[in-house]
Amino acid sequence: AINAENNTQVVSTNDTFTTNAGYFDSGGIHSGNNGLLTVTNGTFIGNTGNEGGAIYSVGTAQVSIDGGTFNNNTFGSSG
């Protein structure tokens, strides 16, 4: 659904991510390579990804999560 990397800043507040699918990364949000991700009161339900169902963070990414709901998210190899 969202790819936050290469010095990108993403702020998500009260957003819902439902039944998203990612083949390589996360079904919900992928953050890496100096990406800055802030999630406040997010809802992640039924997302699937090879490397993280709801959120996948790698490398030098900065991730902040404040509250939220995570249900039935699945991943394939790591996450």
Side-chain angles (χ1 to χ4, degrees):
I2 294 176
N3 186 8
E5 62 180 343
N6 298 325
N7 300 309
T8 301
Q9 179 178 357
V10 173
V11 177
S12 173
T13 304
N14 299 320
D15 291 320
T16 299
F17 299 86
T18 306
T19 63
N20 295 290
Y23 180 75
F24 290 109
D25 297 316
S26 172
I29 300 175
H30 168 260
S31 184
N33 300 329
N34 292 320
L36 176 59
L37 171 64
T38 303
V39 177
T40 304
N41 296 323
T43 301
F44 295 83
I45 300 172
N47 299 288
T48 60
N50 190 46
E51 297 179 328
I55 296 173
Y56 178 65
S57 174
V58 64
T60 57
Q62 296 180 33
V63 177
S64 172
I65 300 172
D66 184 15
T69 301
F70 296 82
N71 289 321
N72 300 317
N73 298 288
T74 59
F75 63 91
S77 64
S78 62

